[in-house]
mmCIF file of all heavy atoms in Angstrom:
data_model
loop_
_atom_site.group_PDB
_atom_site.id
_atom_site.type_symbol
_atom_site.label_atom_id
_atom_site.label_comp_id
_atom_site.label_asym_id
_atom_site.label_seq_id
_atom_site.Cartn_x
_atom_site.Cartn_y
_atom_site.Cartn_z
ATOM 1 N N THR A 37 -11.322 16.898 -26.995
ATOM 2 C CA THR A 37 -11.132 15.450 -26.922
ATOM 3 C C THR A 37 -9.669 15.021 -26.914
ATOM 4 O O THR A 37 -9.338 14.006 -26.335
ATOM 5 C CB THR A 37 -11.844 14.755 -28.105
ATOM 6 O OG1 THR A 37 -11.346 15.301 -29.326
ATOM 7 C CG2 THR A 37 -13.346 14.959 -28.020
ATOM 8 N N ALA A 38 -8.813 15.786 -27.546
ATOM 9 C CA ALA A 38 -7.386 15.430 -27.588
ATOM 10 C C ALA A 38 -6.710 15.824 -26.273
ATOM 11 O O ALA A 38 -7.026 16.860 -25.679
ATOM 12 C CB ALA A 38 -6.700 16.128 -28.749
ATOM 13 N N ARG A 39 -5.799 14.998 -25.812
ATOM 14 C CA ARG A 39 -5.136 15.230 -24.531
ATOM 15 C C ARG A 39 -4.463 16.598 -24.472
ATOM 16 O O ARG A 39 -4.593 17.328 -23.481
ATOM 17 C CB ARG A 39 -4.118 14.126 -24.273
ATOM 18 C CG ARG A 39 -3.432 14.233 -22.924
ATOM 19 C CD ARG A 39 -2.457 13.054 -22.710
ATOM 20 N NE ARG A 39 -1.854 13.096 -21.402
ATOM 21 C CZ ARG A 39 -0.770 13.812 -21.089
ATOM 22 N NH1 ARG A 39 -0.190 14.546 -22.011
ATOM 23 N NH2 ARG A 39 -0.281 13.788 -19.870
ATOM 24 N N ALA A 40 -3.737 16.943 -25.523
ATOM 25 C CA ALA A 40 -3.041 18.231 -25.544
ATOM 26 C C ALA A 40 -4.028 19.393 -25.429
ATOM 27 O O ALA A 40 -3.764 20.380 -24.728
ATOM 28 C CB ALA A 40 -2.215 18.364 -26.812
ATOM 29 N N GLU A 41 -5.159 19.274 -26.092
ATOM 30 C CA GLU A 41 -6.187 20.311 -26.026
ATOM 31 C C GLU A 41 -6.791 20.394 -24.617
ATOM 32 O O GLU A 41 -7.021 21.488 -24.094
ATOM 33 C CB GLU A 41 -7.282 20.017 -27.046
ATOM 34 C CG GLU A 41 -8.394 21.047 -27.087
ATOM 35 C CD GLU A 41 -9.490 20.707 -28.073
ATOM 36 O OE1 GLU A 41 -9.510 19.583 -28.608
ATOM 37 O OE2 GLU A 41 -10.348 21.574 -28.283
ATOM 38 N N GLN A 42 -7.016 19.245 -24.000
ATOM 39 C CA GLN A 42 -7.572 19.221 -22.648
ATOM 40 C C GLN A 42 -6.632 19.888 -21.652
ATOM 41 O O GLN A 42 -7.069 20.635 -20.765
ATOM 42 C CB GLN A 42 -7.862 17.783 -22.229
ATOM 43 C CG GLN A 42 -8.989 17.158 -23.011
ATOM 44 C CD GLN A 42 -9.116 15.669 -22.773
ATOM 45 O OE1 GLN A 42 -8.175 15.007 -22.336
ATOM 46 N NE2 GLN A 42 -10.291 15.127 -23.071
ATOM 47 N N LYS A 43 -5.340 19.617 -21.790
ATOM 48 C CA LYS A 43 -4.346 20.229 -20.904
ATOM 49 C C LYS A 43 -4.322 21.745 -21.083
ATOM 50 O O LYS A 43 -4.272 22.502 -20.115
ATOM 51 C CB LYS A 43 -2.957 19.649 -21.175
ATOM 52 C CG LYS A 43 -2.819 18.178 -20.874
ATOM 53 C CD LYS A 43 -2.711 17.945 -19.400
ATOM 54 C CE LYS A 43 -2.329 16.510 -19.088
ATOM 55 N NZ LYS A 43 -2.182 16.308 -17.648
ATOM 56 N N LYS A 44 -4.361 22.189 -22.331
ATOM 57 C CA LYS A 44 -4.337 23.620 -22.643
ATOM 58 C C LYS A 44 -5.586 24.313 -22.091
ATOM 59 O O LYS A 44 -5.507 25.400 -21.520
ATOM 60 C CB LYS A 44 -4.230 23.814 -24.156
ATOM 61 C CG LYS A 44 -4.118 25.229 -24.588
ATOM 62 C CD LYS A 44 -2.775 25.789 -24.238
ATOM 63 C CE LYS A 44 -2.622 27.187 -24.830
ATOM 64 N NZ LYS A 44 -1.519 27.900 -24.225
ATOM 65 N N LYS A 45 -6.744 23.678 -22.245
ATOM 66 C CA LYS A 45 -7.991 24.262 -21.754
ATOM 67 C C LYS A 45 -7.993 24.368 -20.231
ATOM 68 O O LYS A 45 -8.510 25.333 -19.673
ATOM 69 C CB LYS A 45 -9.198 23.447 -22.216
ATOM 70 C CG LYS A 45 -9.444 23.500 -23.693
ATOM 71 C CD LYS A 45 -9.903 24.871 -24.124
ATOM 72 C CE LYS A 45 -10.283 24.872 -25.596
ATOM 73 N NZ LYS A 45 -10.771 26.162 -26.042
ATOM 74 N N ALA A 46 -7.404 23.383 -19.551
ATOM 75 C CA ALA A 46 -7.295 23.450 -18.099
ATOM 76 C C ALA A 46 -6.438 24.651 -17.694
ATOM 77 O O ALA A 46 -6.783 25.385 -16.759
ATOM 78 C CB ALA A 46 -6.722 22.158 -17.531
ATOM 79 N N GLN A 47 -5.330 24.867 -18.403
ATOM 80 C CA GLN A 47 -4.479 26.016 -18.117
ATOM 81 C C GLN A 47 -5.233 27.325 -18.360
ATOM 82 O O GLN A 47 -5.127 28.267 -17.573
ATOM 83 C CB GLN A 47 -3.222 25.986 -18.991
ATOM 84 C CG GLN A 47 -2.225 24.928 -18.572
ATOM 85 C CD GLN A 47 -1.047 24.870 -19.503
ATOM 86 O OE1 GLN A 47 -1.200 24.632 -20.705
ATOM 87 N NE2 GLN A 47 0.142 25.090 -18.958
ATOM 88 N N GLU A 48 -6.009 27.372 -19.439
ATOM 89 C CA GLU A 48 -6.784 28.573 -19.750
ATOM 90 C C GLU A 48 -7.832 28.848 -18.663
ATOM 91 O O GLU A 48 -8.052 30.000 -18.294
ATOM 92 C CB GLU A 48 -7.467 28.426 -21.110
ATOM 93 C CG GLU A 48 -6.508 28.459 -22.278
ATOM 94 C CD GLU A 48 -7.176 28.137 -23.605
ATOM 95 O OE1 GLU A 48 -8.423 28.024 -23.673
ATOM 96 O OE2 GLU A 48 -6.434 27.993 -24.594
ATOM 97 N N LEU A 49 -8.460 27.802 -18.177
ATOM 98 C CA LEU A 49 -9.473 27.966 -17.130
ATOM 99 C C LEU A 49 -8.854 28.508 -15.840
ATOM 100 O O LEU A 49 -9.401 29.416 -15.213
ATOM 101 C CB LEU A 49 -10.194 26.645 -16.864
ATOM 102 C CG LEU A 49 -11.347 26.708 -15.870
ATOM 103 C CD1 LEU A 49 -12.449 27.642 -16.365
ATOM 104 C CD2 LEU A 49 -11.912 25.325 -15.628
ATOM 105 N N VAL A 50 -7.701 27.969 -15.458
ATOM 106 C CA VAL A 50 -7.012 28.453 -14.255
ATOM 107 C C VAL A 50 -6.628 29.926 -14.428
ATOM 108 O O VAL A 50 -6.795 30.731 -13.504
ATOM 109 C CB VAL A 50 -5.782 27.580 -13.932
ATOM 110 C CG1 VAL A 50 -4.920 28.220 -12.850
ATOM 111 C CG2 VAL A 50 -6.222 26.187 -13.512
ATOM 112 N N LYS A 51 -6.155 30.280 -15.599
ATOM 113 C CA LYS A 51 -5.796 31.678 -15.880
ATOM 114 C C LYS A 51 -7.028 32.575 -15.776
ATOM 115 O O LYS A 51 -6.987 33.644 -15.179
ATOM 116 C CB LYS A 51 -5.165 31.782 -17.270
ATOM 117 C CG LYS A 51 -4.815 33.180 -17.699
ATOM 118 C CD LYS A 51 -3.656 33.737 -16.928
ATOM 119 C CE LYS A 51 -3.219 35.060 -17.539
ATOM 120 N NZ LYS A 51 -2.106 35.638 -16.833
ATOM 121 N N LYS A 52 -8.154 32.106 -16.332
ATOM 122 C CA LYS A 52 -9.401 32.888 -16.329
ATOM 123 C C LYS A 52 -9.933 33.079 -14.909
ATOM 124 O O LYS A 52 -10.334 34.180 -14.530
ATOM 125 C CB LYS A 52 -10.445 32.179 -17.178
ATOM 126 C CG LYS A 52 -11.803 32.827 -17.196
ATOM 127 C CD LYS A 52 -12.783 32.016 -18.031
ATOM 128 C CE LYS A 52 -14.185 32.585 -17.942
ATOM 129 N NZ LYS A 52 -15.162 31.789 -18.683
ATOM 130 N N ILE A 53 -9.936 32.008 -14.122
ATOM 131 C CA ILE A 53 -10.539 32.066 -12.791
ATOM 132 C C ILE A 53 -9.608 32.687 -11.751
ATOM 133 O O ILE A 53 -10.015 33.523 -10.954
ATOM 134 C CB ILE A 53 -10.957 30.657 -12.323
ATOM 135 C CG1 ILE A 53 -12.027 30.098 -13.244
ATOM 136 C CG2 ILE A 53 -11.454 30.676 -10.887
ATOM 137 C CD1 ILE A 53 -12.320 28.637 -13.011
ATOM 138 N N TYR A 54 -8.345 32.252 -11.763
ATOM 139 C CA TYR A 54 -7.421 32.644 -10.699
ATOM 140 C C TYR A 54 -6.343 33.638 -11.130
ATOM 141 O O TYR A 54 -5.576 34.115 -10.306
ATOM 142 C CB TYR A 54 -6.750 31.397 -10.106
ATOM 143 C CG TYR A 54 -7.757 30.412 -9.556
ATOM 144 C CD1 TYR A 54 -8.032 29.225 -10.233
ATOM 145 C CD2 TYR A 54 -8.445 30.661 -8.378
ATOM 146 C CE1 TYR A 54 -8.963 28.315 -9.741
ATOM 147 C CE2 TYR A 54 -9.376 29.766 -7.882
ATOM 148 C CZ TYR A 54 -9.629 28.593 -8.568
ATOM 149 O OH TYR A 54 -10.560 27.705 -8.086
ATOM 150 N N GLY A 55 -6.267 33.903 -12.445
ATOM 151 C CA GLY A 55 -5.273 34.857 -12.939
ATOM 152 C C GLY A 55 -3.841 34.364 -12.835
ATOM 153 O O GLY A 55 -2.916 35.162 -12.758
ATOM 154 N N LYS A 56 -3.657 33.049 -12.848
ATOM 155 C CA LYS A 56 -2.323 32.464 -12.679
ATOM 156 C C LYS A 56 -1.919 31.672 -13.923
ATOM 157 O O LYS A 56 -2.721 30.937 -14.498
ATOM 158 C CB LYS A 56 -2.294 31.503 -11.486
ATOM 159 C CG LYS A 56 -2.634 32.135 -10.167
ATOM 160 C CD LYS A 56 -1.508 32.995 -9.678
ATOM 161 C CE LYS A 56 -1.825 33.542 -8.287
ATOM 162 N NZ LYS A 56 -0.801 34.393 -7.802
ATOM 163 N N ASP A 57 -0.670 31.812 -14.322
ATOM 164 C CA ASP A 57 -0.087 30.965 -15.367
ATOM 165 C C ASP A 57 0.574 29.783 -14.674
ATOM 166 O O ASP A 57 1.462 29.978 -13.831
ATOM 167 C CB ASP A 57 0.961 31.739 -16.180
ATOM 168 C CG ASP A 57 0.328 32.814 -17.043
ATOM 169 O OD1 ASP A 57 -0.666 32.508 -17.741
ATOM 170 O OD2 ASP A 57 0.823 33.962 -17.031
ATOM 171 N N VAL A 58 0.118 28.575 -14.984
ATOM 172 C CA VAL A 58 0.633 27.379 -14.319
ATOM 173 C C VAL A 58 0.964 26.313 -15.350
ATOM 174 O O VAL A 58 0.551 26.391 -16.515
ATOM 175 C CB VAL A 58 -0.392 26.825 -13.300
ATOM 176 C CG1 VAL A 58 -0.640 27.833 -12.184
ATOM 177 C CG2 VAL A 58 -1.705 26.462 -13.973
ATOM 178 N N SER A 59 1.703 25.303 -14.923
ATOM 179 C CA SER A 59 2.036 24.179 -15.800
ATOM 180 C C SER A 59 0.794 23.329 -16.047
ATOM 181 O O SER A 59 -0.230 23.480 -15.382
ATOM 182 C CB SER A 59 3.130 23.320 -15.167
ATOM 183 O OG SER A 59 2.593 22.587 -14.075
ATOM 184 N N GLU A 60 0.896 22.394 -16.991
ATOM 185 C CA GLU A 60 -0.220 21.499 -17.300
ATOM 186 C C GLU A 60 -0.635 20.689 -16.070
ATOM 187 O O GLU A 60 -1.826 20.560 -15.775
ATOM 188 C CB GLU A 60 0.151 20.558 -18.443
ATOM 189 C CG GLU A 60 0.301 21.245 -19.771
ATOM 190 C CD GLU A 60 0.731 20.297 -20.882
ATOM 191 O OE1 GLU A 60 1.128 19.145 -20.582
ATOM 192 O OE2 GLU A 60 0.657 20.702 -22.050
ATOM 193 N N ASP A 61 0.341 20.132 -15.374
ATOM 194 C CA ASP A 61 0.043 19.315 -14.199
ATOM 195 C C ASP A 61 -0.563 20.146 -13.073
ATOM 196 O O ASP A 61 -1.477 19.705 -12.385
ATOM 197 C CB ASP A 61 1.293 18.585 -13.705
ATOM 198 C CG ASP A 61 1.759 17.503 -14.666
ATOM 199 O OD1 ASP A 61 0.945 17.028 -15.484
ATOM 200 O OD2 ASP A 61 2.940 17.119 -14.594
ATOM 201 N N GLU A 62 -0.040 21.337 -12.880
ATOM 202 C CA GLU A 62 -0.601 22.218 -11.856
ATOM 203 C C GLU A 62 -2.039 22.590 -12.201
ATOM 204 O O GLU A 62 -2.904 22.620 -11.315
ATOM 205 C CB GLU A 62 0.245 23.486 -11.726
ATOM 206 C CG GLU A 62 1.610 23.244 -11.112
ATOM 207 C CD GLU A 62 2.537 24.436 -11.240
ATOM 208 O OE1 GLU A 62 2.435 25.212 -12.206
ATOM 209 O OE2 GLU A 62 3.400 24.580 -10.339
ATOM 210 N N ALA A 63 -2.304 22.856 -13.474
ATOM 211 C CA ALA A 63 -3.659 23.202 -13.908
ATOM 212 C C ALA A 63 -4.619 22.038 -13.652
ATOM 213 O O ALA A 63 -5.738 22.244 -13.172
ATOM 214 C CB ALA A 63 -3.671 23.592 -15.386
ATOM 215 N N ASP A 64 -4.188 20.829 -13.971
ATOM 216 C CA ASP A 64 -5.031 19.656 -13.703
ATOM 217 C C ASP A 64 -5.335 19.543 -12.209
ATOM 218 O O ASP A 64 -6.478 19.310 -11.814
ATOM 219 C CB ASP A 64 -4.356 18.368 -14.183
ATOM 220 C CG ASP A 64 -4.463 18.152 -15.675
ATOM 221 O OD1 ASP A 64 -5.235 18.881 -16.345
ATOM 222 O OD2 ASP A 64 -3.788 17.244 -16.183
ATOM 223 N N ALA A 65 -4.319 19.718 -11.371
ATOM 224 C CA ALA A 65 -4.507 19.606 -9.922
ATOM 225 C C ALA A 65 -5.475 20.676 -9.411
ATOM 226 O O ALA A 65 -6.363 20.390 -8.606
ATOM 227 C CB ALA A 65 -3.161 19.711 -9.206
ATOM 228 N N ILE A 66 -5.320 21.891 -9.889
ATOM 229 C CA ILE A 66 -6.201 22.979 -9.471
ATOM 230 C C ILE A 66 -7.633 22.703 -9.930
ATOM 231 O O ILE A 66 -8.585 22.907 -9.174
ATOM 232 C CB ILE A 66 -5.686 24.331 -10.011
ATOM 233 C CG1 ILE A 66 -4.365 24.701 -9.299
ATOM 234 C CG2 ILE A 66 -6.733 25.430 -9.853
ATOM 235 C CD1 ILE A 66 -3.595 25.826 -9.953
#
Side-chain angles (χ1 to χ4, degrees):
T37 57
R39 183 178 183 275
E41 181 182 10
Q42 292 170 339
K43 296 283 190 178
K44 183 72 174 164
K45 292 291 186 178
Q47 287 176 301
E48 290 173 8
L49 185 62
V50 169
K51 177 70 172 180
K52 176 182 174 183
I53 297 170
Y54 302 106
K56 300 286 184 182
D57 290 312
V58 297
S59 72
E60 291 177 348
D61 291 338
E62 290 168 330
D64 281 349
I66 291 166

